[in-house]
């Protein structure tokens, strides 16, 4: 994979950094990668080679590229970090392999700006809002690690795109969420920076994004601002020490630092229920809380659908915490036994988290919801167990047929 023709230019929405991508292996994907920011932060924005190389790395490692090459000078610390992440990926997934990193201008270590400044990726989800809350309670506002900017990145969902075009209704929805986060910033002492990127369109499917692509792809956006930031906070996913292989992981994210930008994972060992409890105590954050996984187009002003798996479990957890009435971004629907019985957890880690919510409902005196919630959890656990037995049987039968 060759990345060249790097440039930054003004566009109607602000400023765009872009590069040509030449695929050299068997896979074919988009031939142009870009990042955009609004005009207000355009002066600090550049087409940094580090951004494009980092975003492209998972694709090069997993899709059969013979190398990862970029036009220009590349930060030497990031180069070494990419090698470390490739090693982790290849250990997790045998289809991933190490590829050499090349730069036409060679390697050097970038110097950070003289005055340190911290930014955090903020989506309005539980993880990022909890990280912001923890940061505010830990660091004085004038501390170098206090979050002074929030980076809000649009275009990170499959359903945001029609081919290479960012859908207008998705742009409208992200603008609405950006406005909510900007209001939070006004009372929480951070400036919101809106960004857009097409990195997600380079990923073949959602599984690729979840397992390999989104951590590097999102952190890459911060590398476009080496003149503005020295430290970037990226929220953990709330599974603590039980974290399974995942595109954002304690073994990966810090590898994506450069000499000019230090990547810091926020709350790496704090569990999701603990995070939600911290957010639930913060009224202003509840007014920006967005967790929805629904692919459906929603009418203007609707933040969370209240029907998808993530909405349901968050709403039930807020009941357990006694704060459902303050969560204004969720629809006003009865959160009763029928609502809880319709919950459908997917995957072992959701089973564990859901069980924690049911336990919390018992403690809160809502055993009716806990009992109704546990039934679908038990069914999901049984299905997962049978799937595991089926996978093991298929592996065994395949080994037997191969004579091993």
């Amino acid at each position: 994979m060759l990345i060249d023709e790097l440039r930054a230019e003004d566009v109607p929405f602000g400023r765009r950094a872009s590069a040509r991508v030449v695929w050299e292996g068997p896979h074919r994907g988009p031939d142009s990668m870009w990042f955009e920011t609004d005009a207000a932060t355009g002066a600090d924005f550049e087409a940094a080679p580090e951004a494009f190389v980092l975003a492209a790395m998972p694709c090069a490692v997993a899709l059969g590229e013979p190398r990862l090459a970029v036009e220009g000078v590349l930060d030497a610390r990031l180069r070494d970090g990419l090698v470390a992440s490739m090693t982790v990926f290849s250990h997790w997934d045998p289809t991933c392999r190490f590829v050499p990193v090349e730069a036409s201008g060679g390697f050097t270590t970038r110097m950070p700006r003289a005055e340190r400044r911290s930014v955090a990726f903020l989506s309005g989800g539980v993880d990022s809002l909890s990280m912001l809350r923890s940061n505010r309670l830990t660091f004085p506002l004038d501390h170098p690690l206090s979050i002074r900017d929030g980076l809000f990145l649009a275009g990170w969902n499959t359903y945001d795109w029609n081919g290479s075009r960012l859908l207008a209704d998705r742009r409208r929805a992200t603008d609405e969420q950006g406005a909510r986060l900007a209001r939070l910033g006004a009372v929480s002492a951070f400036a919101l920076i809106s960004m857009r990127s097409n990195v997600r369109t380079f990923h073949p499917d959602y599984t690729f994004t979840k397992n390999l692509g989104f951590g590097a792809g999102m952190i890459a956006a911060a590398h476009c601002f080496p003149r503005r930031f020295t430290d970037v906070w990226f929220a953990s996913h709330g599974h603590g020490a039980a974290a399974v292989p995942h595109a954002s992981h304690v073994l990966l994210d810090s590898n994506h630092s450069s000499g000019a930008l230090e990547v810091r994972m926020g709350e790496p060992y704090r569990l999701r229920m603990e995070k939600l409890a911290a957010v639930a105590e913060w009224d202003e954050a509840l007014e920006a809380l967005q967790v929805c996984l629904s692919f459906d187009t929603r009418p203007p002003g609707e933040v969370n659908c209240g029907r998808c798996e993530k909405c349901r479990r968050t709403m039930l957890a807020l009941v357990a915490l006694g704060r459902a009435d303050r969560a204004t971004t969720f629809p006003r629907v009865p959160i009763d036994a029928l609502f809880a019985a319709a919950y459908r957890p997917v995957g072992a880690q959701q089973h564990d988290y859901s069980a924690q919510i049911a336990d919390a409902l018992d403690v809160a005196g809502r055993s009716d919801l806990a009992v109704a919630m546990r039934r679908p959890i038990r069914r999901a656990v049984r299905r997962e167990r049978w799937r595991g037995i089926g996978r093991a049987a298929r592996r065994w039968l395949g080994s037997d047929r191969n004579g091993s």
Side-chain angles (χ1 to χ4, degrees):
M1 177 181 284
L2 172 64
I3 301 168
D4 64 5
E5 299 182 8
L6 281 68
R7 63 183 182 274
E9 57 190 340
D10 292 332
V11 293
F13 291 119
R15 193 156 177 81
R16 170 179 285 196
S18 63
R20 185 178 72 143
V21 176
V22 180
W23 298 85
E24 299 174 322
H27 181 82
R28 289 294 177 269
D31 59 8
S32 177
M33 181 182 291
W34 54 262
F35 301 89
E36 286 180 355
T37 191
D38 293 340
T41 50
D44 295 323
F45 187 71
E46 64 181 70
E50 291 76 20
F52 297 99
V53 170
L54 177 55
M57 180 271 292
C59 298
V61 167
L63 300 178
E65 289 297 302
R67 62 174 182 161
L68 179 57
V70 67
E71 179 182 62
V73 178
L74 185 66
D75 183 84
R77 183 184 178 196
L78 178 61
R79 174 203 59 196
D80 296 343
L82 293 174
V83 171
S85 290
M86 291 179 195
T87 303
V88 174
F89 282 145
S90 61
H91 178 71
W92 286 347
D93 185 341
T95 65
C96 294
R97 62 187 185 85
F98 172 83
V99 298
V101 180
E102 302 172 5
S104 64
F107 301 94
T108 189
T109 302
R110 294 188 72 147
M111 292 294 293
R113 55 172 268 165
E115 181 188 354
R116 290 177 65 185
R117 185 181 180 98
S118 291
V119 65
F121 280 92
L122 297 176
S123 64
V126 171
D127 296 326
S128 67
L129 291 176
S130 174
M131 177 180 66
L132 176 62
R133 182 64 167 167
S134 176
N135 185 273
R136 284 290 174 266
L137 295 174
T138 302
F139 299 106
L141 289 178
D142 58 354
H143 192 281
L145 292 182
S146 177
I147 294 168
R148 296 172 61 188
D149 291 302
L151 202 56
F152 178 52
L153 182 60
W156 206 252
N157 301 297
T158 307
Y159 50 88
D160 289 341
W161 298 91
N162 180 10
S164 61
R165 183 171 60 87
L166 190 60
L167 294 171
D169 63 305
R170 293 302 304 155
R171 175 64 191 265
R172 184 262 306 159
T174 56
D175 286 348
E176 289 179 354
Q177 179 63 2
R180 286 185 283 270
L181 289 169
R183 289 193 292 271
L184 178 62
V187 298
S188 304
F190 68 85
L192 190 73
I193 298 173
S194 292
M195 286 191 70
R196 298 156 293 279
S197 175
N198 73 336
V199 170
R200 175 64 181 83
T201 66
F202 280 73
H203 301 168
D205 51 38
Y206 171 73
T207 299
F208 183 101
T209 300
K210 177 173 69 74
N211 294 340
L212 300 171
F214 88 85
M218 292 183 72
I219 291 170
H223 283 278
C224 293
F225 289 97
R227 296 194 296 271
R228 186 178 180 96
F229 315 134
T230 58
D231 298 83
V232 56
W233 291 94
F234 196 73
S236 70
H237 42 59
H239 299 304
V244 299
H246 192 253
S248 172
H249 195 278
V250 70
L251 295 178
L252 292 173
D253 291 355
S254 62
N255 296 336
H256 303 152
S257 304
S258 72
L261 185 70
E262 189 75 31
V263 179
R264 300 179 180 276
M265 176 176 273
E267 304 182 302
Y269 300 109
R270 197 175 198 186
L271 299 178
R272 181 66 61 82
M273 192 64 181
E274 296 171 326
K275 293 183 177 189
L276 184 57
V279 174
E281 295 173 357
W282 189 11
D283 286 349
E284 292 85 357
L286 286 177
E287 294 172 3
L289 180 59
Q290 183 177 55
V291 302
C292 190
L293 290 177
S294 173
F295 292 177
D296 298 334
T297 300
R298 293 190 290 278
E302 183 178 294
V303 185
N304 297 294
C305 74
R307 300 178 300 276
C308 70
E309 181 274 332
K310 202 169 183 182
C311 279
R312 285 184 188 271
R313 65 172 149 95
T314 304
M315 292 167 75
L316 287 161
L318 286 166
V319 170
L321 294 166
R323 297 290 283 168
D325 61 324
R326 286 293 301 121
T328 57
T329 59
F330 291 92
R332 292 306 183 203
V333 297
I335 307 176
D336 53 18
L338 288 175
F339 180 91
Y343 174 60
R344 296 293 182 269
V346 179
Q349 292 194 312
Q350 285 185 14
H351 303 161
D352 293 342
Y353 177 44
S354 304
Q356 294 171 29
I357 296 172
D359 291 344
L361 286 166
D362 275 330
V363 172
R366 295 303 307 269
S367 294
D368 58 326
L369 299 182
V371 169
M373 189 179 184
R374 286 190 177 105
R375 293 191 189 107
I377 294 173
R378 286 195 295 268
R379 288 195 296 268
V381 169
R382 285 196 295 270
R383 283 195 300 270
E384 191 68 24
R385 186 178 298 126
W386 279 111
R387 288 193 188 102
I389 292 171
R391 287 191 294 267
R394 287 191 294 272
R395 286 195 299 269
W396 182 85
L397 289 171
S399 300
D400 188 57
R401 279 195 293 268
N402 291 332
S404 56

